[in-house]
Amino acid sequence: MNKKITPYILLFLTALLLFSCKSAKLSDAEEKQRIGEYFEAAAIYRKVYTKTSPQKRDLRGYIAYRMAECNRLINNTPRATSAYMNALRYDYPDSIVSLRLGQMYQKSGKYMDAIRHYNDFLLLNPESQLALNGIKGSELAPQWKQNPNRYIVKRMEKFNSRRGEFCPMLYGEKYDQLYFTSSRTPKGANKDEDETISAITGQRNNDFFLIKQDEQGNWLAPVELEDEVNTEFDEGTPSFSKDGNTMYYTYCAQDPEGPRTSEIYVSTRSSAKWGKGTRASIVKDSVTALGHPAVSPDGKYLYYVSDAVGGFGGKDIFRSRLVGNDFGPMENLGPDINTPGDEMFPYVRDSVTLYFASNGHPGMGGLDLFKATQDSTGKWHVENLKAPINSMGDDFGITFEGDKEK
């Protein structure tokens, strides 16, 4: 009887061995990266890298660079920095490694190291606006930190969890409600059963949460929005029409076959509930990424972010005219606003004032918040909001209490 069982055990062990080898194949990591599952791709690249002989310098450099890119895209700056350094050590044949290292060191507040790597990149790419702006930002950041402006920034302890919270948006005539996006586990949820972990970020998918004020003006504890607008997939970055009955937001489904593309969705409020979202028909295809919608206070335009072809590099800010439930053509806001880097998270204060986040203009590191004012000729004038609003990390997603500087 034992003799009969043994072949099956051997077969089982062989299958396990094959499976474990398959789980760390370079082609698997490349495919995960291609469809945007950066968290899972980074984990596989790491396994493949450790199994690759240091004598295979070209292969190690290639894997290290791809691993670095995935970690950069999920905001794991320490791991991205380490992987870019390994790519440099193994002579990865693209000078972009130096640019990325400059950006990672700037985001870590190591401004002298950042400038050194930006200068290395400029030796081969002397006209790179990203590197030139990176150096300028790295030189200005310590000065801004030492001489902060009059804004006071404080952490809202009651709003935060150990997970991510971002893109708050004030709501209501008295601005006494605050919607925000979070990957936290809702109270009462069974962690194992109720969480869908994103292969893109490695965290729980984002949902909308709501905070209200009591009659004394004190903020209450956040609660998960139980309306149909929340789904098992990712949604966030809300923006509301002036009458408060329409919400524009970013939605990311996870098609098992295709790339992970963000889309703009619209939800309508009825009987104090937000209805199930529907896709905004800004573009006909489902490949162009759209997100971070912001409706203008007069309701004439929807501003948003896209990587559409023909932009200035990275993600750009666009707008479309709102015509009832339809959208006019995409209009790029132009080179005063958009750079070879990423411009994201627009917020429209009034017809001539736009706030947005960028890592392409001179800044303190990562995404900084900027204010853009349009003059009578239509030209935008952009200024960095400086410290203490901006920091060496990512700063984005601003909302105002009406006309107040609050």
Side-chain angles (χ1 to χ4, degrees), residues 16-282:
L16 266 182
L17 188 65
L18 286 169
F19 180 78
S20 64
C21 290
K22 188 179 185 305
S23 68
K25 274 171 61 179
L26 182 58
S27 58
D28 290 343
E30 290 169 330
E31 177 58 16
K32 293 281 186 188
Q33 185 176 9
R34 185 189 70 79
I35 63 173
E37 293 185 349
Y38 302 118
F39 176 79
E40 291 196 354
I44 300 171
Y45 279 129
R46 199 175 185 193
K47 288 178 183 175
V48 176
Y49 181 83
T50 55
K51 293 198 310 185
T52 303
S53 167
Q55 272 70 49
K56 296 180 178 178
R57 295 184 61 82
D58 290 351
L59 184 56
R60 267 213 154 192
Y62 172 81
I63 298 166
Y65 175 72
R66 304 276 293 208
M67 176 167 50
E69 285 288 274
C70 291
N71 280 306
R72 175 179 68 85
L73 290 164
I74 60 172
N75 264 341
N76 194 330
T77 303
R79 281 197 176 175
T81 307
S82 174
Y84 284 126
M85 286 300 290
N86 283 332
L88 200 64
R89 186 155 61 97
Y90 286 104
D91 303 316
Y92 185 72
D94 191 333
S95 62
I96 197 171
V97 173
S98 295
L99 176 70
R100 294 291 186 232
L101 273 169
Q103 291 170 332
M104 294 303 101
Y105 279 120
Q106 188 178 0
K107 200 171 179 179
S108 305
K110 297 176 180 176
Y111 295 117
M112 296 307 292
D113 289 328
I115 290 168
R116 179 164 55 84
H117 286 289
Y118 283 134
N119 278 323
D120 287 345
F121 184 71
L122 285 170
L123 289 174
L124 293 170
N125 308 272
E127 295 180 6
S128 167
Q129 202 59 50
L130 282 178
L132 292 167
N133 284 353
I135 290 171
K136 189 175 179 182
S138 296
E139 290 171 344
L140 288 169
Q143 300 171 33
W144 292 343
K145 205 171 176 181
Q146 286 173 1
N147 303 287
N149 57 38
R150 291 173 62 194
Y151 280 105
I152 296 166
V153 175
K154 58 182 178 180
R155 183 180 166 89
M156 299 299 284
E157 297 293 351
K158 190 182 281 189
F159 297 1
N160 295 314
S161 71
R162 289 184 296 175
R163 299 289 181 86
E165 283 79 38
F166 60 97
C167 288
M169 190 59 62
L170 286 161
Y171 178 83
E173 289 180 16
K174 297 178 181 177
Y175 304 100
D176 56 356
Q177 297 176 52
L178 188 81
Y179 286 82
F180 68 98
T181 310
S182 179
S183 59
R184 70 176 68 191
T185 307
K187 276 189 175 178
N190 182 309
K191 189 176 186 298
D192 296 326
E193 291 178 15
D194 297 347
E195 288 203 336
T196 306
I197 300 302
S198 168
I200 302 168
T201 63
Q203 297 181 31
R204 181 182 176 273
N205 282 335
N206 292 297
D207 277 320
F208 289 121
F209 286 75
L210 174 62
I211 309 167
K212 293 181 178 180
Q213 283 184 354
D214 64 18
E215 291 175 2
Q216 285 74 46
N218 301 309
W219 290 105
L220 301 171
V223 292
E224 185 185 25
L225 205 62
E226 293 183 352
D227 303 359
E228 280 188 276
V229 70
N230 267 345
T231 70
E232 64 183 297
F233 298 119
D234 250 322
E235 45 269 313
T237 62
S239 181
F240 302 99
S241 60
K242 194 173 183 179
D243 65 8
N245 290 326
T246 305
M247 180 204 295
Y248 301 90
Y249 64 99
T250 308
Y251 175 75
C252 301
Q254 290 178 21
D255 177 357
E257 303 299 324
R260 308 306 190 240
T261 304
S262 62
E263 298 177 295
I264 292 172
Y265 266 54
V266 186
S267 173
T268 306
R269 189 175 173 88
S270 177
S271 305
K273 291 276 186 184
W274 290 105
K276 188 176 180 181
T278 56
R279 182 176 177 269
S281 55
I282 297 169

